[in-house]
Amino acid sequence: MENSVSYSAIEDVQLLSWENAPKYCLQLTIPGGTVLLQAANSYLRDQWFHSLQWKKKIYKYKKVLSNPSRWEVVLKEIRTLVDMALTSPLQDDSINQAPLEIVSKLLSENTNLTTQEHENIIVAIAPLLENNHPPPDLCEFFCKHCRERPRSMVVIEVFTPVVQRILKHNMDFGKCPRLRLFTQEYILALNELNAGMEVVKKFIQSMHGPTGHCPHPRVLPNLVAVCLAAIYSCYEEFINSRDNSPSLKEIRNGCQQPCDRKPTLPLRLLHPSPDLVSQEATLSEARLKSVVVASSEIHVEVEPASTAKPALTASVGNDSEPNLIDCLMVSPACSTMSIELGPQADRTLGCYVEILKLLSDYDDWRPSLASLLQPIPFPKEALAHEKFTKELKYVIQRFAEDPRQEVHSCLLSVRAGKDGWFQLYSPGGVACDDDGELFASMVHILMGSCYKTKKFLLSLAENKLGPCMLLALRGNQTMVEILCLMLEYNIIDNNDTQLQIISTLESTGVGKRMYEQLCDRQRELKELQRKGGPTRLTLPSKSTDADLARLLSSGSFGNLENLSLAFTNVTSACAEHLIKLPSLKQLNLWSTQFGDAGLRLLSEHLTMLQVLNLCETPVTDAGLLALSSMKSLCSLNMNSTKLSADTYEDLKAKLPNLKEVDVRYTEAW
């Protein structure tokens, strides 16, 4: 026995059973003789015997199936191999895995099989799959079958128990990605059946079980992992095609890095007058050659530096005076992202978002699902896709309706600087499409159980005060209560902002009633009301002419000097309300639908206006020429309007006080 004996060299294995034979011995027949192996007991001898037989047969089948000639013979050999594995007295994972690996190698080396041969092989090895995961190559073969023949009965009868076993066990899809891919393709195959999502729904129900609580704790995490991978794959081609994909913050702000427009150009004053030096906005220094545009009073240098981003003021808690040229020094927004998926990716997305919706319907799964979807696990391209966020909204609504704190608390962000579902679906968020209804319900449930009420109110005041005021202006009772609590807890320090909140409350019946009750409890709040109202006012984005009219009619605004309507939906119709503001000096109409008719009306009445921002408004020469009567104008932003060079020259000649002007992206540039 100086040399080892290979398994392939063993011709026969026998138990020595004759009378007076050596105890517990095996006889191996090899070329040139026999070998006796003696074990310590009968159990060990029998294990040796069955193991040697198994190894000998496995080598035989590997040899037979490595060179297939006739597939009917191959199929017969596979069935025999499966039977041998099922009837073997040995108890080891390799007993069932070895035949699967042999068949897997056979299929990977013979890719020209007919569909019927595919199905026959799958049916033949089905008994081994009941208690064993398919190896990677076999998973690839199963995926191919699901894609090519999704309506085959093999998918329902054979693959269903295999996928159920995968989902019920503790699975690391990072180490077994093809098992996840097979599960993904199986679900898509179910969706291709005549009943479509009804079949998928029944499959999810079978995975949950008939009781109120799923008995298999790994099913939900595994299903969510499959859903996330499938949804990511829908955007994978789009993601890979973008070298400079935008950040989540850029998507939230509705813009992207690579846009069709010209790069934003910061504006810097040259030789400014002494009274404007302290008000100049902080701008990045440019390294490229400058272009100088001259007005009658001052030179304005336009610097090509696409990375520079002017800073905006007007924080809700800032008591500092407004910068005179805030409205002038803002750069035009880029176009929003447009996500278009192919037909197959679109079907995949629809299927797996629907599964997430189904998962959110189970009460016992909802807490875990909420935690698995926070922090937000989807790619930024998905969050910029209107169809995806609109469909996923159902899941977020289910979280917002759930009274359990472990569920609805997951709506808030869990990492500093990262958005949560609360931010994503709030007014102004990229996913908001309902004028804030979902946002209001989220605020209501969070306030109802929030043990850090003041901290939550501080967060709302810092980040979501505009949406809260807009919804309160439209009569939403939850938002009215929020604004009252902000006043009661003294959350807002800025007097102008406090006065704007009071005006918002007094614009509706329910708000006026709640504010009066608050004043009865805290009489010092009455001191906030003074004749003339606030000096500064910012209307929340998405506000309409009706919102502005409701707010301005709720109280006195005789002291209002600075009004920002930027990014609202106001039109020229609001001009009739604006001309009733006698002290107005600064007006920001950036990116609104304010047109020529409104501009002509303003020029007739607001003769004291000093700063006017018309950036990205639909005004033309017909309206802009009317500004020549507003002799007090010293800052005028006509960026991205239909301004002509002749009109610009005419305005320069007729507006002697004009010191800052922005005519970028116009004919006059």
Side-chain angles (χ1 to χ4, degrees), residues 145-147 149-151 155-156 159 183-194 196 199-200 351-352:
H145 189 80
C146 288
R147 287 190 294 266
R149 297 206 66 193
R151 297 174 181 267
V155 174
I156 299 293
F159 290 166
T183 305
Q184 177 181 328
E185 294 292 346
Y186 165 78
I187 293 175
L188 290 176
L190 294 184
N191 194 39
E192 292 294 326
L193 299 177
N194 291 336
V199 181
V200 177
C351 174
Y352 280 97

Side-chain angles (χ1 to χ4, degrees), residues 159-198:
F159 290 166
T160 297
V162 179
V163 173
Q164 288 177 333
R165 185 179 185 279
I166 291 173
L167 292 175
K168 288 179 181 179
H169 284 71
N170 192 8
M171 185 59 57
D172 184 356
F173 284 129
K175 295 180 180 178
C176 310
R178 292 191 182 181
L179 285 177
R180 185 195 64 214
L181 185 61
F182 167 50
T183 305
Q184 177 181 328
E185 294 292 346
Y186 165 78
I187 293 175
L188 290 176
L190 294 184
N191 194 39
E192 292 294 326
L193 299 177
N194 291 336
M197 281 307 301
E198 284 300 317

Side-chain angles (χ1 to χ4, degrees), residues 141 207 225 266 272 300 306 410 443 445 470 581 587 595 603 618 650 658:
F141 174 72
M207 296 307 305
V300 180
S306 59
C410 292
V443 171
I445 192 70
L470 177 60
L581 303 173
L587 178 60
S603 65
D650 188 63
L658 192 63

Side-chain angles (χ1 to χ4, degrees), residues 200-400:
V200 177
K201 184 177 181 180
K202 290 180 180 178
F203 173 74
I204 300 297
Q205 288 175 342
S206 70
M207 296 307 305
H208 180 275
T211 62
H213 291 272
C214 177
H216 307 288
R218 290 303 307 172
V219 167
L220 178 66
N222 287 339
L223 272 173
V224 172
V226 171
C227 290
L228 295 181
I231 291 172
Y232 187 90
S233 70
C234 296
Y235 300 94
E236 193 167 14
E237 183 177 352
F238 185 85
I239 294 170
N240 293 338
S241 67
R242 296 174 60 84
D243 295 328
N244 298 313
S245 56
S247 66
L248 180 59
K249 182 178 180 181
E250 290 164 341
I251 292 177
R252 183 175 68 249
N253 293 335
C255 63
Q256 59 187 31
Q257 287 282 5
C259 60
D260 296 330
R261 304 191 59 164
K262 300 174 185 178
T264 58
L265 304 179
L267 205 61
R268 187 174 64 186
L269 297 176
L270 294 182
H271 315 298
S273 56
D275 60 327
L276 293 177
V277 171
S278 62
Q279 300 176 24
E280 184 175 357
T282 303
L283 302 174
S284 300
E285 292 297 329
R287 295 184 176 89
L288 302 179
K289 186 176 180 180
S290 302
V291 180
V292 177
V293 181
S295 71
S296 59
E297 292 289 330
I298 196 166
H299 291 288
V300 180
E301 184 179 26
V302 180
E303 301 179 295
S306 59
T307 57
K309 295 183 179 179
L312 299 178
T313 59
S315 172
V316 296
N318 188 3
D319 282 315
S320 62
E321 287 299 315
N323 194 317
L324 186 63
I325 53 176
D326 277 346
C327 300
L328 178 66
M329 308 298 270
V330 289
S331 55
C334 295
S335 57
T336 56
M337 294 184 65
S338 177
I339 307 291
E340 294 292 338
L341 300 181
Q344 181 57 40
D346 200 57
R347 286 194 295 271
T348 301
L349 180 68
C351 174
Y352 280 97
V353 174
E354 193 66 29
I355 290 176
L356 290 176
K357 293 161 71 174
L358 292 173
L359 298 179
S360 69
D361 285 333
Y362 291 95
D363 290 340
D364 61 319
W365 275 353
R366 203 174 298 129
S368 297
L369 178 63
S371 63
L372 289 170
L373 296 186
Q374 181 63 277
I376 297 176
F378 302 104
K380 50 184 173 286
E381 283 75 10
L383 301 179
H385 189 196
E386 183 180 357
K387 179 179 179 180
F388 172 75
T389 53
K390 188 174 183 178
E391 291 295 321
L392 194 67
K393 182 179 175 181
Y394 177 86
V395 179
I396 309 306
Q397 284 177 324
R398 298 294 284 160
F399 294 164

Side-chain angles (χ1 to χ4, degrees), residues 13 38 47 67 73 78 95 102 118 187 218 233 280 314 327 350 386 397 423 453 526:
V13 181
Q38 189 171 32
Q47 289 294 309
N67 296 302
V73 176
I78 291 175
I95 301 302
I102 292 174
H118 276 193
I187 293 175
R218 290 303 307 172
S233 70
E280 184 175 357
C327 300
E386 183 180 357
Q397 284 177 324
Q423 288 82 8
T453 302
K526 288 186 176 181

Side-chain angles (χ1 to χ4, degrees), residues 2-39:
E2 293 180 357
N3 299 322
S4 60
V5 178
S6 63
Y7 290 109
S8 58
I10 299 175
E11 297 177 353
D12 192 21
V13 181
Q14 292 181 348
L15 293 170
L16 296 185
S17 58
W18 65 80
E19 192 176 351
N20 298 326
K23 280 189 175 183
Y24 316 132
C25 281
L26 292 177
Q27 178 177 296
L28 307 183
T29 303
I30 59 176
T34 60
V35 176
L36 293 181
L37 297 179
Q38 189 171 32

